[in-house]
Amino acid sequence: MTIETRTDPSTAPSTDGRRLRGDRSRRAVLDLAVQDASVRGLEALTLGSLAARLPVNKSGIAGLFGGKEGLQLAAVEHARGMFVDAVVDPAREAAPGLSRLWSLVRRWSDYSRRRVFAGGCFFRTVEVEFDTQDGSVRDAVVAAHRDWTSYLRRHAELAVGAGELAADTDVDQLSFEITAMLNAANDGSLLLGDDGVYARALAAVRGALEARGADPAALAAD
């Protein structure tokens, strides 16, 4: 899945009754799994703990995902779909370039603040969890991170091309700074219980954009 186009098997329509029941069970498991993982991490997920809170037994969950690693990979994919729904799709209402970039920043801040995931940003949790590990789950987490930062970078490039940001803007540096500021807000809100960190993060991103030539009027609240 990429940010531009995604398909979520748990939401795909089906006319087969048994397949439809399986899809519903899969969705129920993943809805719970991503919330748990956002708080405790993907390694803490167990088939038994999920089965204890769902109308799906442990063997049924194993049949759906083929074991713990399959569940973890499916959870990352499901979380990516939820992230796109919460952040990327709404931001598409804004024009490509600076307007889209600023909308993405604001939508991300709102996504973390309103706890789409119980533990704040799902990906912030699992990035820290898997940053020193190897394997397919880490690869999926890395792919999600790169997909997001590439999307930010793309709209920074479009803003430069349109003259909305200075021609000498380092778009890699800019996307790094934006990501760092948003992550800091997410972490501070969780650790300190301080909702004000989101306003500070938005002010910091706004300052970074204005320092690169963005028109302050283009960065008004939407």
Side-chain angles (χ1 to χ4, degrees):
M1 185 197 79
T2 67
I3 277 181
E4 293 291 354
T5 58
R6 71 176 181 89
T7 56
D8 185 345
S10 65
T11 61
S14 173
T15 57
D16 179 80
R18 184 167 56 183
R19 172 67 182 276
L20 186 59
R21 288 191 296 274
D23 288 345
R24 283 198 298 263
S25 295
R26 180 183 175 88
R27 178 63 179 262
V29 172
L30 290 176
D31 282 345
L32 180 58
V34 296
Q35 297 299 335
D36 279 5
S38 74
V39 176
R40 289 181 286 273
L42 286 165
E43 286 295 333
L45 290 179
T46 67
L47 307 188
S49 66
L50 292 171
R53 289 173 289 161
L54 290 167
V56 185
N57 60 34
K58 184 176 177 179
S59 61
I61 296 175
L64 288 169
F65 300 100
K68 183 171 181 175
E69 184 176 275
L71 172 63
Q72 291 173 326
L73 290 170
V76 173
E77 188 71 7
H78 192 62
R80 290 179 78 175
M82 292 174 65
F83 178 84
V84 169
D85 289 343
V87 178
V88 179
D89 282 347
R92 289 195 174 107
E93 297 175 4
L98 181 61
S99 181
R100 179 81 57 86
L101 183 63
W102 181 236
S103 184
L104 287 166
V105 170
R106 291 179 57 80
R107 300 293 184 181
W108 197 103
S109 175
D110 182 62
Y111 142 85
S112 175
R113 180 193 291 110
R114 64 189 175 88
R115 299 295 187 253
V116 170
F117 296 102
C121 178
F122 171 94
F123 293 99
R124 180 64 176 156
T125 300
V126 300
E127 284 169 4
V128 173
E129 181 184 17
F130 281 88
D131 58 3
T132 60
Q133 299 191 39
D134 295 316
S136 59
V137 178
R138 180 185 187 275
D139 292 344
V141 172
V142 168
H145 176 87
R146 288 179 173 164
D147 200 22
W148 167 241
T149 56
S150 294
Y151 196 61
L152 291 176
R153 185 184 189 280
R154 173 59 178 157
H155 285 283
E157 287 178 332
L158 291 173
V160 171
E164 298 169 323
L165 294 175
D168 62 352
T169 296
D170 183 337
V171 294
D172 289 315
Q173 179 66 26
L174 179 57
S175 64
F176 176 86
E177 291 177 19
I178 290 172
T179 301
M181 293 168 194
L182 294 176
N183 285 343
N186 178 79
D187 296 352
S189 73
L190 291 167
L191 182 64
L192 306 174
D194 180 7
D195 192 64
V197 294
Y198 293 106
R200 290 190 281 277
L202 290 175
V205 175
R206 185 184 296 108
L209 293 170
E210 290 179 2
R212 292 167 169 88
D215 180 358
L219 306 177
D222 57 18

